[in-house]
Amino acid sequence: MNKADYKGVYVFAEQRDGKIQSVALELLGKARVLADALGEQVVALYPGYKNTENAKELIAWGADKVVVMDAPELEHYLTEQYSQAMSQAIDHYKPSIVLLGATTIGRDLGPRLASRLETGLTADCTSLDISPERELLMTRPAFGGNLMATIMCTEHRPQMSTVRPGVMQKGTKDENRKGEIDNFTPTFNTSKFKVKLVEKVKENKGKTDITEAKILVSGGRGVGNPDGFAKLQALADVVGAQVSSSRAMVDAGVMPHEVQVGQTGKTVRPALYLACGISGAIQHLAGMEESDFIIAINKDKFAPIFGVADVGIVGDVHKIVPMLTEKLSKLIVKK
């Protein structure tokens, strides 16, 4: 392998029902930084069906070129179909770096691409950088989040990593950016299509994904039970927030996994994060410490959460949260 033949930072532009996912835009923002350091292009790999108009949006968010793969087989995500299309595109264009979101789709697709391309994959990266030798430095938590490991893929190309939604920041959208749109037609081996989509059923929870929420009221072991989370929900209703949770409450069956914040949950970056009864284990901090403003309520004044909090309240969360709810409801009504 001649590594000099491989150039460009490529991003898997994940779409669902024709809508580009936020994580793809976040990755374009980071890819722009990496590509500028290398003096190379940012390219979006965009598989789908009858949604080529979104290619211009990817350019506006930082792509220099968009490789559109438009085929009926790619309308919905199916592992084999997407693996064939993406691996053929990567073989053809020879990128140096390929980034995917660590979503359910990205976590399924990434390892299969790495296997077909005979290269490495670093999962759940929290930091990406370029070394003086122009290698990709991929940093992720290791040993249960107790240390950070920086991994390199020096012998193979492309260098691949998945990044969780919410970890990287989007760049600035520029509707006037100019870029190239390239159509790539994959050749499918239909004999390998062993799975077909029979029906899609969407669960409508009527709530915003916690990674998109501007305010989060998050509960931990100190909240304790569904009654405690009902108090958090009352506060969230007053301030227009979403309720989230630490892993302890998800493992206890009190809260669903989709609202879990932390290393094994979701990474969030709200304007306000209210941590209620959360001690602040490193695994939880990894998922929320980039919040703009953090308020912590905990009866243990030595809890690690106070180390990252902008405002700390030492006391019983079951008493303080209802008091906050009452005070804020009166203030908001008056306004």
Side-chain angles (χ1 to χ4, degrees):
M1 172 180 290
N2 183 3
K3 292 193 292 185
D5 294 337
Y6 292 78
K7 294 186 182 299
V9 181
Y10 283 52
V11 171
F12 168 51
E14 182 180 328
Q15 58 84 17
R16 302 191 187 203
D17 297 325
K19 181 181 179 183
I20 297 172
Q21 298 300 288
S22 183
V23 67
L25 306 181
E26 294 166 8
L27 291 179
L28 283 174
K30 186 60 183 181
R32 182 75 271 157
V33 175
L34 299 176
D36 288 347
L38 292 167
E40 296 177 358
Q41 281 193 324
V42 174
V43 181
L45 294 169
Y46 186 42
Y49 184 51
K50 292 183 178 179
N51 52 8
T52 54
E53 66 279 359
N54 286 335
K56 292 182 180 178
E57 183 179 355
L58 294 167
I59 291 170
W61 282 101
D64 298 307
K65 179 164 73 174
V66 180
V67 176
V68 174
M69 291 166 268
D70 188 66
E73 294 87 350
L74 302 173
E75 181 174 6
H76 304 290
Y77 178 77
L78 289 167
T79 302
E80 183 62 29
Q81 285 85 326
Y82 266 61
S83 296
Q84 287 189 26
M86 287 284 290
S87 61
Q88 288 175 35
I90 292 169
D91 273 335
H92 178 78
Y93 289 98
K94 290 183 166 45
S96 175
I97 296 169
V98 176
L99 307 178
L100 303 93
T103 60
T104 51
I105 288 176
R107 284 173 168 161
D108 181 65
L109 179 62
R112 286 164 172 80
L113 289 178
S115 177
R116 293 177 190 222
L117 299 166
E118 297 183 348
T119 189
L121 172 71
T122 304
D124 283 357
C125 292
T126 56
S127 176
L128 298 171
D129 208 346
I130 301 297
S131 75
E133 295 77 28
R134 298 172 61 83
E135 302 283 349
L136 180 63
L137 302 174
M138 301 170 279
T139 302
R140 70 177 307 277
F143 292 98
N146 292 308
L147 58 83
M148 304 300 285
T150 297
I151 298 167
M152 299 168 68
C153 180
T154 59
E155 303 301 321
H156 299 274
R157 290 293 183 270
Q159 303 160 95
M160 292 181 60
S161 70
T162 62
V163 181
R164 275 201 222 164
V167 171
M168 303 299 176
Q169 291 189 338
K170 296 177 186 176
T172 302
K173 187 176 182 181
D174 181 1
E175 299 284 2
N176 297 317
R177 281 193 88 250
K178 303 297 181 184
E180 177 186 352
I181 298 176
D182 197 358
N183 292 301
F184 179 81
T185 304
T187 303
F188 293 101
N189 181 353
T190 56
S191 68
K192 294 185 180 293
F193 294 176
K194 305 300 184 184
V195 176
K196 68 177 181 178
L197 181 65
V198 176
E199 182 183 7
K200 285 183 75 174
V201 179
K202 286 189 176 182
E203 185 177 7
N204 184 14
K205 293 186 171 68
K207 292 185 178 180
T208 306
D209 187 295
I210 61 170
T211 60
E212 302 290 333
K214 298 297 183 186
I215 303 175
L216 284 174
V217 179
S218 198
R221 202 184 302 274
V223 176
N225 52 44
D227 289 339
F229 275 93
K231 295 174 184 175
L232 300 194
Q233 186 63 60
L235 176 57
D237 291 341
V238 168
V239 297
Q242 291 288 107
V243 174
S244 55
S245 170
S246 70
R247 177 175 176 172
M249 292 292 93
V250 173
D251 288 348
V254 176
M255 296 295 285
H257 183 264
E258 62 261 25
V259 299
Q260 180 184 328
V261 175
Q263 185 182 320
T264 54
K266 294 181 178 180
T267 300
V268 298
R269 203 189 296 262
L272 173 61
Y273 189 86
L274 186 57
C276 305
I278 295 173
S279 63
I282 190 170
Q283 292 87 345
H284 185 80
L285 298 181
M288 48 67 70
E289 61 186 346
E290 294 297 323
S291 303
D292 291 344
F293 197 85
I294 300 169
I295 299 175
I297 305 171
N298 200 295
K299 62 183 180 181
D300 177 10
K301 65 180 180 180
F302 299 109
I305 191 70
F306 290 126
V308 298
D310 296 284
V311 173
I313 303 172
V314 179
D316 186 348
V317 68
H318 294 283
K319 295 178 181 178
I320 293 170
V321 167
M323 290 168 59
L324 275 175
T325 304
E326 182 182 359
K327 293 283 188 182
L328 288 171
S329 62
K330 290 178 180 177
L331 286 171
I332 292 170
V333 168
K334 285 181 181 180
K335 289 184 178 180

